[in-house]
Structures are given as structure tokens and as C-alpha cells.
């Protein structure tokens, strides 16, 4: 039988077959995807082949094969720094939900996420949530960020999951697609999903005042079928986003505005750091590319993994 993985809890996988039936499945033996050292060989969104086994009164599935993935998005495993964690597979797009405060989403986090999505060929939409809570200064800051990332080439939108502002526009972007929702805990993923599809009634949690961070409400990634011909994958809140398997000479290619300028650099292997006649550095001096984006790029190339919580003004949490 074949089906799509809808939920993963580490050892058990909920698989939906082509005819709409759900089976709880386990993995047969040890899976190793070629070239990927992952803590979870099977991810939500994977297309798998499985066989049915009867154990007493229970019917379970045993996954024997994973079909080739169209794409997947990956990050460093939280506890095992040398291993990776595949968040989801076979995505049409990902929505990164961003908030200016409660909690803060720093630009280095946004840029690492975007570069990873570029590397794995997944279109990304940036949703700036909680617009109903911002004063004039914060509203202007969101507008500046929207202008910045729109100029790079990303679709950006200011929304309020709580009031429903622009939720219909999000819904239009989701039609006929499998979308992943991601962001820090507390940015409003669950609230937005419940606004898009109230019958799901996904658990939400208040922001922890002590740390101004969200309580983790989603423990495992899970896919849901929606009533308006769309599927979403809800993911656990992500604190950090370490880069995975990227050579430093290719990271610039995942910043679209740098990639466009690369052909004008004197050296074709230019890292845009100290090289002479670098088109990216020249554009930077003319304010034609963003300083915050360049700062994120430098941190990624130089391997400053512990600075992802630094914002574009150099302040840390």
C-alpha cells in the first residue's frame, strides 16, 4: 500500500492512504536516506510504501520504503549537533510567521530560514503577525521589513490571526497546495490555523511573561486536510535555525539579491567578504542591498552559530 505521512511521533507514523484511510505505522528495520544523517528518517509529507500486519486485535502498518522527495526542509537537531532533523517533506510552500515582539523574531533567524528554504527549493511567504498590537513605531518597522524582503523577491504580508486581518489572502495563497507553517513558539501559528479552519481547534498557549517566549504547544509536526482544498503542516516552535550541509562558497547563492550581483564580482568564487571589486560590497556601500541581510550572510559564512538571536542593530536578547 502507498500513502502520505500525516503525523510523526518519533517511533509511530500516521499514514493516509490514497483512498483516505489512516493507519498507524512503524518503520521496518533501520532507515538511512542516502546522504542524510537524520534523527527522523521518515518525515511528515513523505510518500511511503507500507504493508499491513495483524498483531492480536491490532492492525498496524510497517513502512518498507520512502519514495523520492520533491524537496524537504531541514535543520540541526536540537540535542545532537552533528545530526539533522527533517521538519517536513514534499512542500509546495512554507509560511514563516514573524512577530516584532512577544516574542521577537530577529532578522538573522529570518535570513537563515530563508536561505535554507532557498537551498531546498521551497518558496517562502513571510507573514508579519499581530499587526493589531503595534504602535506607530512598530508599524513603521514592520513596513520597513516588508519593503526589504519584498525588494529581495519574497511575498510579504501584514496579518492579524486574532482579528482575521488578511487571513483570506493567506487562504488564497494556500489553495490546492501543501503548506508548512513555521516560526518561533508564540508567534501565533496555532491561532492563525484555527482562524483559517476553526473546526481543527488546535491548542494555543499564552506567552510566558517571564521569558516573553511562547510555550511549546505543538510537540510533533502534523499535517491537516482543510475544507478549502489545501493541506497544512503545523510544526513545533523553532528557537534556533542552525545551517545544515552548506559550503560557505554556496551560501551567497541562497541570498537572491547577492546571487544576482555575483556575475559582476571580479572573482567568480568571491565570498563577498574582503575580496577586491566585489559587486555585493559595492552595492552595500550604495545602500542597494540591505545591511541586515549582509550581516546575516557574514555570520552564516563565518560559522557564528550562536549569534542567531542577534538583530540587525547588533543587540542581543
Amino acid at each position: 500500500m502507498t500513502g502520505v505521512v500525516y503525523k510523526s511521533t518519533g517511533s509511530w507514523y500516521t499514514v493516509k492512504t490514497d483512498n483516505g484511510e489512516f493507519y498507524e505505522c512503524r518503520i521496518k528495520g533501520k532507515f538511512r536516506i542516502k546522504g542524510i544523517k537524520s534523527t527522523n528518517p521518515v518525515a511528515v509529507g513523505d510518500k511511503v510504501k507500507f504493508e499491513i500486519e495483524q498483531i492480536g486485535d491490532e492492525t498496524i502498518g510497517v513502512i518498507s520504503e520512502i519514495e523520492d522527495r520533491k524537496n524537504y526542509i531541514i535543520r540541526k537537531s536540537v540535542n545532537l549537533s552533528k545530526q539533522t532533523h527533517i521538519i517536513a517533506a514534499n512542500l509546495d510552500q512554507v509560511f514563516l510567521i514573524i512577530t516584532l515582539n512577544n516574542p521577537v523574531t530577529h532578522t538573522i533567524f529570518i535570513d537563515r530560514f530563508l536561505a535554507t528554504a532557498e537551498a531546498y527549493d521551497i518558496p517562502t511567504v513571510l507573514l508579519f503577525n499581530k499587526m493589531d498590537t503595534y504602535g506607530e513605531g512598530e508599524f513603521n518597522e514592520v513596513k520597513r521589513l516588508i519593503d526589504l524582503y519584498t525588494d529581495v523577491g519574497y511575498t510579504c504580508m501584514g496579518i492579524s490571526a486574532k482579528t482575521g486581518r488578511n487571513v483570506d489572502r493567506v487562504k488564497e495563497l494556500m489553495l490546492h497546495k501543501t503548506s508548512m507553517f513555521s516560526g518561533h513558539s508564540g508567534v501565533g501559528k496555532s491561532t492563525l490555523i484555527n482562524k483559517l479552519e476553526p473546526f481543527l481547534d488546535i491548542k494555543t498557549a499564552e506567552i510566558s511573561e517571564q521569558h516573553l517566549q511562547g510555550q511549546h504547544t505543538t510537540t510533533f509536526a502534523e499535517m491537516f486536510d482543510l475544507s478549502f482544498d489545501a493541506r497544512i503542516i503545523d510544526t513545533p516552535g523553532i528557537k534556533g535555525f542552525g545551517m545544515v550541509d552548506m559550503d560557505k562558497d554556496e551560501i551567497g547563492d541562497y541570498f537572491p539579491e547577492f546571487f544576482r550581483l555575483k556575475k559582476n564580482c571580479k572573482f567568480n568564487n568571491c565570498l563577498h567578504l574582503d575580496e577586491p571589486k566585489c559587486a555585493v560590497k559595492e552595492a552595500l556601500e550604495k545602500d542597494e542591498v540591505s545591511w541586515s541581510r549582509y550581516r546575516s550572510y557574514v555570520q552564516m559564512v563565518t560559522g557564528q552559530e550562536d549569534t542567531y538571536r542577534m538583530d540587525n542593530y547588533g543587540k542581543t536578547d
Side-chain angles (χ1 to χ4, degrees):
M1 299 178 77
T2 60
V4 175
V5 177
Y6 267 59
K7 188 174 184 179
S8 160
T9 59
S11 55
W12 285 94
Y13 303 89
T14 304
V15 177
K16 183 182 180 183
T17 64
D18 298 336
N19 61 8
E21 293 180 301
F22 285 90
Y23 289 90
E24 294 301 311
C25 298
R26 295 189 115 150
I27 297 174
K28 185 177 183 178
K30 284 193 172 182
F31 266 86
R32 288 287 178 268
I33 305 295
K34 192 177 178 183
I36 304 174
K37 290 181 180 176
S38 170
T39 58
N40 62 324
V42 179
V44 169
D46 270 331
K47 294 174 183 174
V48 296
K49 293 181 180 176
F50 67 100
E51 294 138 21
I52 297 299
E53 285 189 0
Q54 198 72 31
I55 300 176
D57 296 335
E58 263 191 310
T59 301
I60 66 163
V62 180
I63 295 171
S64 56
E65 189 179 329
I66 304 170
E67 294 185 11
D68 289 344
R69 291 167 173 150
K70 175 174 73 172
N71 58 35
Y72 56 93
I73 194 157
I74 195 167
R75 69 185 178 110
K76 283 194 175 176
S77 174
V78 175
N79 300 319
L80 301 160
S81 60
K82 290 187 178 178
Q83 284 204 294
T84 58
H85 180 80
I86 300 167
I87 303 171
N90 299 316
L91 298 158
D92 293 312
Q93 63 189 349
V94 59
F95 290 90
L96 180 62
I97 303 172
I98 297 160
T99 47
L100 278 194
N101 49 47
N102 296 335
V104 178
T105 307
H106 291 305
T107 50
I108 179 64
F109 175 85
I110 298 170
D111 295 334
R112 282 176 185 265
F113 191 97
L114 290 174
T116 301
E118 289 283 345
Y120 292 96
D121 201 26
I122 304 168
T124 305
V125 177
L126 302 182
L127 300 180
F128 294 83
N129 193 21
K130 304 189 181 179
M131 295 297 289
D132 58 303
T133 67
Y134 298 146
E136 185 180 354
E138 293 164 321
F139 190 86
N140 289 336
E141 174 64 8
V142 171
K143 187 177 183 304
R144 186 189 71 78
L145 289 170
I146 286 176
D147 288 345
L148 187 166
Y149 288 105
T150 300
D151 286 347
V152 173
Y154 293 103
T155 299
C156 302
M157 197 183 301
I159 68 165
S160 171
K162 194 172 181 181
T163 67
R165 172 181 174 171
N166 281 335
V167 169
D168 282 347
R169 288 181 61 197
V170 175
K171 192 179 282 192
E172 285 172 18
L173 293 174
M174 295 173 64
L175 284 173
H176 319 304
K177 294 178 179 176
T178 298
S179 307
M180 184 180 95
F181 281 47
S182 197
H184 291 319
S185 293
V187 294
K189 292 190 304 296
S190 299
T191 303
L192 176 57
I193 293 168
N194 287 336
K195 187 68 76 168
L196 288 160
E197 193 72 277
F199 82 85
L200 288 177
D201 193 25
I202 290 173
K203 185 181 173 188
T204 60
E206 295 300 316
I207 296 291
S208 162
E209 288 186 15
Q210 184 180 358
H211 300 294
L212 289 179
Q213 294 177 349
Q215 308 288 346
H216 288 276
T217 54
T218 308
T219 311
F220 301 102
E222 184 168 3
M223 181 147 63
F224 300 95
D225 292 320
L226 305 183
S227 60
F228 53 91
D229 189 19
R231 294 194 293 192
I232 59 163
I233 298 175
D234 186 23
T235 61
I238 299 170
K239 286 185 178 179
F241 209 85
M243 305 308 294
V244 175
D245 294 337
M246 285 192 196
D247 295 329
K248 63 181 181 179
D249 57 355
E250 68 183 23
I251 292 173
D253 294 351
Y254 305 133
F255 282 66
E257 69 274 45
F258 297 177
F259 182 69
R260 289 191 288 268
L261 292 166
K262 183 179 177 180
K263 62 182 183 294
N264 298 323
C265 291
K266 181 178 180 181
F267 301 105
N268 60 9
N269 62 345
C270 184
L271 284 178
H272 319 308
L273 297 175
D274 304 313
E275 298 89 343
K277 295 188 179 177
C278 166
V280 171
K281 293 291 290 287
E282 288 171 5
L284 189 67
E285 295 300 330
K286 296 175 189 173
D287 282 331
E288 292 171 355
V289 298
S290 156
W291 278 93
S292 68
R293 290 274 288 167
Y294 182 72
R295 182 189 185 93
S296 296
Y297 167 75
V298 170
Q299 289 179 355
M300 289 156 65
V301 169
T302 56
Q304 294 170 292
E305 291 288 349
D306 59 345
T307 56
Y308 73 88
R309 297 178 73 81
M310 189 175 288
D311 67 19
N312 52 329
Y313 304 111
K315 297 176 292 187
T316 55
D317 282 1

